[in-house]
Amino acid sequence: MNKFYLPKIKEVTINNFSLYKKTETINVEFNKNVFCLIGANGLGKSTFITILNYGLTGIVKNPERTFSWFGSIPQFYSKSKSFASKYFEGRVDEDDYDLAEVELTFSLGQNLYKIKRGFFEPDQLRNFEKFDNAGNPIKIDSDDPNYLDYEYKSHFVSDSNLTDFSQFAFLQSFVLTFDETHNLLFWDDSIIERVLYLFFGIDSSVAKEADKLRKDYNTFDSNARNLQWQSTTARKELNNILASLKESELTEEESNILEKHKDLKDQLDDYFDQIEKIQKEVKETNLIISDLSVKMSSLKEDYDRIFNESLSSDISLEKNPEIIQTLRDLKICIMNKKNHEHLIKNLIDIINDEIIKSQSLNNENSIIALKKIDVDLAKLKEELLQTENKKKRFVHEEINTSEKVRELQKQIEGIEEKNQNLLKDLKNLGPVDNESIIESYEKRIAGYQEKKDENYKKRDKIKIELDKLEDKLSESFIQAEKKFIPLFNNYANSFLGLPINVELSSHRKGTNLKLRINEDMRNASFQLSESQRYFIDIALRMALVELGTYHATLNIDTPEGSLDIAYESRAGKMLADFSKDNFYTIVTANINSSQLLLGLAREAKGVNMQVERMTEWTYLSEVQVKENVRIEKAYKDLEDELND
């Protein structure tokens, strides 16, 4: 049996995650085998586990989708990426959209990984670094976010002993995480078979093959059952039609009524088509009128501007050489106290000549431009008038056609009111060719049957291949059960306190595990209490992880609300028993008077358990603030137990 290396998370940094309002950066180092995040309801404990999983995989599991909806492990992975943005949108403010990110440092086999991922970039990494067991960096050839993501997945698959990255995303979501959705391995056939092939198969490539074969088997089986349903439905429809056909033909009067009713309905449909076309034409003319009006308005503005400019002359007199020379001579005369009246008269004459020249040229150009605008405006006015007349014609046609529609509707209503029974039985029949109807339905039914048989043949062919893999799985399970069953019994029995056993079972839907308690088979989840099925399922995950991995981290969003008082301390002991050597547990829990946390602390003690308070991350609600005295007491009791 092939063992996997799965992540041991060493550090996480969460930046600009708006839900945690008290700080822009959260940094947690996982120094002990048990990490417990504690706080009141609604502060974001479950979200923390989701962030860890998203950082590792790039996906968020949709709680409204069961695994069977996806059909296969690759489909689950690819179709879960889009849900991540929906999940985080309500937890990350718009201002933090581009800034929000998660950084993870974790060991995988003999290597150390460092990755950074934005919360809305499932197929990209902002950073990827890898170091060997000596701390030497392994070179990554590009810093392109998409390439970094590709390299991360490639290295991960190679170092983990998995066949592809989607297998890890599946294990992280359904085995390594027990979250608030409370998906149970024991009683979900679509999940447990994939898990068994991964942990008890010869290697992960066999699990990949089994996953594909099971998907194809289910597809062909579903197709065949759907085709059988379609065949049965078609046969019922045919029988109903044959039963409703009258043996005798319609009377002449009945035929005339039906024919007239049909003709009127056809005319009505034609008029409705005409009205629809007319309304489209009216919309088109409105657009043309609007466009022409804008163009005319623009031309009128140009006309006013040119006309106003023609009335004013902005002449650059200061650049005229004659004026410049005359001003110099005038200055000399004034300074020498000589007669300068002739210079002033000369200056006035030059300026007048320049003004006359400028106005003449300006007026000539303005007149040409204004005449062109007049021509363009006349054309636009004519086009506008024609378009408005066209619109009036269409509006008039629509009024007339609508009147015809009302008249036809009155006639149809009159016929239907007088011949209710006749039309109820015959309005959809018309001329009926019994032989043609029968032949058409029989061909359709035969086609359904043929396709159904083809799908069953394909399904049965795949079943032969699945049976071969199931035999290999059974052999591998038998070899491993000497270690696996004691592991499971140890965890489950320490919680339940009753003799418990598990066995491999195969059936039409696939291979799964059957649970026995006190030698009684528990085939359905409702045969156990809520707390029993939750923690027995967690015990199964612990046994699988300890058996099939060299090291791994288990995430548990503790379902402590389901626990009976008698089981609280037992659950804490079970979590502590697992968290040893190379196996780690990240636990979220409410801070209350529950014995679960105290039991866990009692077993793990401070040397193997660290506690993080969410009050450092975000603010308590008004209700929680009022209960702060009790919350602080619960914290103190927990710390006392850890340090005892």
Side-chain angles (χ1 to χ4, degrees):
M1 187 177 69
N2 193 27
K3 279 193 171 187
F4 306 124
Y5 289 100
L6 297 177
K8 186 315 186 180
I9 302 176
K10 293 181 175 295
E11 184 176 2
V12 61
T13 301
I14 305 170
N15 295 313
N16 298 96
F17 195 77
S18 313
L19 181 67
Y20 303 137
K21 299 182 181 299
K22 211 168 186 178
T23 178
E24 288 186 357
T25 298
I26 293 170
N27 179 262
V28 177
E29 294 184 10
F30 300 90
N31 300 317
K32 300 179 181 180
N33 283 59
V34 179
F35 171 81
C36 187
L37 180 64
I38 54 179
N41 282 330
L43 297 185
K45 300 188 301 298
S46 301
T47 301
F48 177 71
I49 288 180
T50 302
I51 290 173
L52 295 180
N53 287 349
Y54 171 75
L56 290 169
T57 66
I59 67 169
V60 173
K61 183 178 69 173
N62 187 339
E64 297 180 358
R65 299 288 190 196
T66 62
F67 179 79
S68 59
W69 185 86
F70 300 99
S72 70
I73 291 175
Q75 287 286 85
F76 162 72
Y77 174 62
S78 63
K79 291 184 177 180
S80 295
K81 293 177 185 178
S82 61
F83 182 71
S85 61
K86 296 178 183 177
Y87 179 86
F88 290 120
E89 273 179 4
R91 294 165 169 83
V92 175
D93 294 342
E94 189 66 28
D95 292 343
D96 293 326
Y97 191 91
D98 294 324
L99 300 174
E101 60 187 12
V102 55
E103 302 177 60
L104 287 170
T105 301
F106 61 90
S107 59
L108 191 68
Q110 303 302 312
N111 302 292
L112 184 72
Y113 282 62
K114 291 185 176 182
I115 62 172
K116 182 189 295 184
R117 191 190 300 274
F119 281 104
F120 303 95
E121 301 158 7
D123 281 321
Q124 296 181 356
L125 285 181
R126 297 181 177 180
N127 183 54
F128 169 43
E129 300 174 72
K130 180 181 174 182
F131 304 86
D132 62 20
N133 59 353
N136 300 313
I138 296 173
K139 185 179 179 182
I140 307 298
D141 294 332
S142 173
D143 58 358
D144 177 76
N146 293 291
Y147 182 80
L148 289 178
D149 184 67
Y150 168 79
E151 282 292 290
Y152 163 63
K153 293 172 184 175
S154 300
H155 283 268
F156 192 104
V157 169
S158 176
D159 292 338
S160 64
N161 290 338
L162 292 164
T163 299
D164 61 47
F165 192 77
S166 65
Q167 289 179 331
F168 167 63
F170 169 79
L171 289 176
Q172 187 68 29
S173 299
F174 290 102
V175 178
L176 297 177
T177 301
F178 186 88
D179 59 21
E180 58 187 346
T181 62
H182 300 154
N183 289 126
L184 302 176
L185 299 185
F186 260 119
W187 296 280
D188 191 326
D189 293 334
S190 62
I191 297 177
I192 189 62
E193 183 178 54
R194 270 82 175 183
V195 172
L196 292 174
Y197 273 109
L198 281 166
F199 283 98
F200 295 102
I202 298 171
D203 57 49
S204 59
S205 64
V206 174
K208 183 176 181 178
E209 181 184 0
D211 175 55
K212 183 181 183 307
L213 287 173
R214 177 57 63 187
K215 175 182 178 294
D216 292 343
Y217 176 92
N218 290 338
T219 298
F220 290 128
D221 184 63
S222 176
N223 288 345
R225 286 185 279 109
N226 287 337
L227 286 163
Q228 180 58 55
W229 179 83
Q230 288 176 303
S231 175
T232 302
T233 301
R235 175 65 67 184
K236 288 179 179 178
E237 289 176 358
L238 175 58
N239 291 337
N240 290 336
I241 289 174
L242 292 175
S244 66
L245 292 176
K246 292 187 175 182
E247 294 182 0
S248 60
E249 295 184 357
L250 297 173
T251 66
E252 183 177 355
E253 182 182 359
E254 289 173 333
S255 296
N256 291 336
I257 292 172
L258 288 177
E259 186 175 354
K260 184 176 181 181
H261 184 266
K262 182 179 181 302
D263 288 343
L264 292 174
K265 295 281 281 186
D266 290 343
Q267 289 182 47
L268 187 63
D269 290 339
D270 289 340
Y271 283 139
F272 280 133
D273 290 341
Q274 290 179 32
I275 289 174
E276 184 177 355
K277 291 177 182 178
I278 291 170
Q279 289 173 342
K280 288 181 180 179
E281 294 286 356
V282 171
K283 288 181 180 179
E284 184 66 26
T285 55
N286 282 333
L287 290 174
I288 295 172
I289 290 170
S290 177
D291 184 54
L292 290 172
S293 299
V294 171
K295 289 180 179 178
M296 289 177 65
S297 177
S298 178
L299 283 176
K300 288 177 181 178
E301 289 178 1
D302 290 344
Y303 189 97
D304 292 339
R305 177 179 53 78
I306 294 171
F307 181 80
N308 290 331
E309 287 176 354
S310 69
L311 298 179
S312 62
S313 299
D314 187 9
I315 308 165
S316 301
L317 298 176
E318 68 276 5
K319 296 181 181 180
N320 188 299
E322 290 185 67
I323 293 175
I324 293 172
Q325 185 58 48
T326 304
L327 288 172
R328 286 175 180 170
D329 295 341
L330 181 62
K331 179 180 178 183
I332 293 171
C333 287
I334 293 172
M335 290 176 64
N336 295 322
K337 298 182 179 180
K338 292 183 178 181
N339 185 7
H340 53 268
E341 291 182 0
H342 66 285
L343 292 174
I344 293 174
K345 182 178 182 302
N346 188 37
L347 181 63
I348 293 171
D349 290 340
I350 294 171
I351 292 172
N352 285 333
D353 288 343
E354 286 298 315
I355 291 173
I356 291 169
K357 289 178 185 179
S358 174
Q359 285 181 338
S360 175
L361 179 62
N362 188 45
N363 288 339
E364 184 178 349
N365 292 335
S366 297
I367 289 170
I368 293 172
L370 291 172
K371 285 182 177 180
K372 185 178 183 307
I373 292 175
D374 282 335
V375 172
D376 292 342
L377 276 172
K379 290 179 180 179
L380 288 176
K381 287 179 181 178
E382 179 62 27
E383 190 176 350
L384 180 61
L385 180 61
Q386 292 180 8
T387 306
E388 288 176 340
N389 290 336
K390 186 178 181 180
K391 177 184 174 181
K392 290 178 182 178
R393 175 169 56 83
F394 286 137
V395 171
H396 185 68
E397 288 179 6
E398 182 179 1
I399 293 171
N400 290 339
T401 307
S402 298
E403 182 61 32
K404 292 177 182 178
V405 164
R406 285 191 288 272
E407 291 176 1
L408 275 178
Q409 287 174 331
K410 287 181 181 179
Q411 293 182 50
I412 292 170
E413 289 172 2
I415 292 174
E416 291 177 348
E417 186 177 350
K418 292 179 181 179
N419 303 276
Q420 291 181 6
N421 294 332
L422 174 64
L423 292 172
K424 181 180 178 181
D425 294 336
L426 303 175
K427 66 179 179 180
N428 294 322
L429 290 178
V432 176
D433 184 345
N434 293 1
E435 292 183 2
S436 176
I437 288 177
I438 294 171
E439 182 180 359
S440 173
Y441 268 88
E442 291 293 356
K443 283 183 179 179
R444 196 195 309 176
I445 293 167
Y448 290 147
Q449 291 294 331
E450 183 179 354
K451 291 179 181 178
K452 179 196 73 174
D453 293 340
E454 288 175 2
N455 277 273
Y456 273 138
K457 286 178 182 178
K458 292 177 181 178
R459 182 203 66 177
D460 293 341
K461 186 177 180 180
I462 291 173
K463 185 65 168 68
I464 294 172
E465 298 301 315
L466 271 174
D467 287 342
K468 293 177 183 178
L469 292 183
E470 286 178 359
D471 290 340
K472 292 181 181 180
L473 177 63
S474 180
E475 292 173 6
S476 181
F477 184 82
I478 290 171
Q479 294 173 8
E481 66 180 349
K482 290 181 181 178
K483 184 178 180 181
F484 169 69
I485 291 180
L487 281 173
F488 172 69
N489 285 346
N490 177 58
Y491 291 127
N493 187 265
S494 70
F495 171 75
L496 198 60
L498 295 172
I500 192 167
N501 200 2
V502 66
E503 58 190 53
L504 195 69
S505 174
S506 296
H507 55 95
R508 185 180 65 84
K509 292 184 178 181
T511 304
N512 61 9
L513 293 175
K514 295 295 184 183
L515 182 69
R516 289 185 182 274
I517 300 178
N518 273 338
E519 297 303 320
D520 294 327
M521 189 70 74
R522 306 297 173 95
N523 293 320
S525 60
F526 63 79
Q527 293 176 319
L528 292 90
S529 70
E530 188 176 59
S531 61
Q532 287 177 337
R533 59 177 178 262
Y534 287 168
F535 281 89
I536 286 175
D537 207 73
I538 293 172
L540 172 62
R541 297 160 195 259
M542 292 176 172
L544 289 169
V545 169
E546 188 168 344
L547 175 76
T549 70
Y550 292 105
H551 63 67
T553 302
L554 196 62
N555 301 320
I556 299 176
D557 193 4
T558 311
E560 54 195 329
S562 68
L563 282 171
D564 302 327
I565 294 177
Y567 289 112
E568 287 179 343
S569 60
R570 285 179 171 270
K573 182 179 184 305
M574 186 179 80
L575 297 177
D577 288 345
F578 170 77
S579 308
K580 60 185 181 297
D581 300 327
N582 292 322
F583 301 104
Y584 309 86
T585 308
I586 295 175
V587 180
T588 66
N590 288 331
I591 181 66
N592 52 30
S593 58
S594 166
Q595 291 296 312
L596 186 149
L597 284 181
L598 296 175
L600 177 57
R602 190 177 303 117
E603 294 292 331
K605 295 300 181 185
V607 294
N608 200 36
M609 179 177 174
Q610 66 183 107
V611 174
E612 180 81 14
R613 296 175 56 160
M614 290 205 71
T615 50
E616 303 299 320
W617 298 8
T618 189
Y619 298 100
L620 295 174
S621 68
E622 183 179 345
V623 174
Q624 293 160 350
V625 169
K626 291 180 180 179
E627 296 296 324
N628 193 51
V629 173
R630 294 177 60 189
I631 291 174
E632 289 299 323
K633 182 181 184 306
Y635 276 130
K636 185 178 184 306
D637 291 343
L638 180 60
E639 290 172 354
D640 290 345
E641 196 65 63
L642 277 173
N643 299 323
D644 185 14

